[in-house]
Amino acid sequence: MRSNEGAGARTFTERARRAQIVECAIEVVAELGYAQTSIRKIAERVGVAMSVVLYHFTNKEELVRAIVIESYHNVIAAVVPAIKAQTSATGKLRAYITANAAFLQSHRLQYMAVLDIGLSFRTASGGRMDQLEIDPELLGDLATLDLETILRNGQENGEFRTFDTRRVAVAIRSALNGAVLETSQDPDFDVLGYGEQLVTIFDSATRRK
């Protein structure tokens, strides 16, 4: 099937159709949840026959991979430059939180879809979303977003106090993800203001006194 060929083998029209399918799939997952999403429902949202979707993506798992990769590219473009622009761990932590909050505000459906996929998705062999095959170069860019590394570096250079970096990283990510539920219930929820509040909370929680 064409979906198994490299991107370079696709025509402009095919790439545009794939992008449209991925965008509609994100909308369907965000609205219905991953478990209720099917190729048929995605095809209906696109306005094409199921065979068109299956021409570009052989199955639901392959489409999920495309959604995840699209999200990774977008979040890297939005968050990584903000982190790299900072020279201190404190600055990088602030940038991580505020840039992710801004990304959530501008890519709300995508954020919701990937979060739901992360909780519900399993490959045919039982693997989770983070076990999907991803381009190593893309994974390298994602390493810049490793929150535990930022926290450890802050401890090593004396900016942060001693704490369990994994647990604090989980707390920060969970706090950011909490905004997804709020925006799903209240589209006018102030995500940017929420992000600034999180900066204040976690700056106080991590700073060496």
Side-chain angles (χ1 to χ4, degrees):
M1 276 215 174
R2 178 66 60 130
S3 58
N4 290 327
E5 296 179 6
R10 302 184 189 113
T11 66
F12 173 82
T13 301
E14 288 172 334
R15 290 195 297 272
R17 176 63 82 186
R18 282 175 63 90
Q20 181 189 28
I21 292 170
V22 170
E23 181 179 355
C24 289
I26 288 170
E27 293 175 1
V28 174
V29 174
E31 292 173 15
L32 303 180
Y34 174 75
Q36 299 301 318
T37 296
S38 65
I39 296 294
R40 182 180 300 278
K41 290 177 181 177
I42 293 169
E44 290 174 353
R45 180 63 59 93
V46 180
V48 299
M50 282 182 60
S51 59
V52 175
V53 176
L54 292 172
Y55 173 80
H56 293 280
F57 301 95
T58 55
N59 52 43
K60 190 176 174 182
E61 181 175 322
E62 187 176 333
L63 186 48
V64 163
R65 181 174 176 273
I67 292 173
V68 171
I69 290 175
E70 172 75 6
S71 176
Y72 284 169
H73 279 297
N74 288 340
V75 76
I76 286 169
V79 180
V80 169
I83 293 176
K84 287 186 174 180
Q86 301 297 319
T87 57
S88 67
T90 300
K92 289 181 184 296
L93 178 57
R94 177 185 177 85
Y96 179 95
I97 294 173
T98 57
N100 268 286
F103 180 81
L104 169 56
Q105 178 167 274
S106 60
H107 294 76
R108 185 172 66 90
L109 291 181
Q110 188 175 80
Y111 204 114
M112 291 172 63
V114 173
L115 182 59
D116 193 82
I117 289 170
L119 294 172
S120 307
F121 172 75
R122 295 293 185 276
T123 65
S125 59
R128 296 178 179 273
M129 186 183 80
D130 59 2
Q131 295 174 305
L132 287 169
E133 183 179 347
I134 303 295
D135 182 352
E137 184 175 347
L138 181 59
L139 292 176
D141 291 334
L142 285 171
T144 306
L145 299 174
D146 182 35
L147 189 50
E148 286 189 63
T149 298
I150 295 173
L151 296 174
R152 282 195 299 270
N153 288 342
Q155 289 178 331
E156 291 169 0
N157 67 24
E159 291 180 60
F160 297 155
R161 65 177 180 80
T162 299
F163 52 78
D164 187 308
T165 56
R166 182 178 182 184
R167 291 176 180 173
V168 173
V170 169
I172 294 171
R173 288 193 295 266
S174 297
L176 284 166
N177 290 342
V180 177
L181 177 60
E182 292 297 327
T183 58
S184 68
Q185 298 173 342
D186 177 11
D188 296 323
F189 179 71
D190 183 7
V191 180
L192 298 182
Y194 177 74
E196 290 294 340
Q197 188 66 61
L198 291 184
V199 168
T200 300
I201 292 170
F202 286 106
D203 177 65
S204 177
T206 58
R207 188 192 316 130
R208 183 178 292 279
K209 306 302 182 183

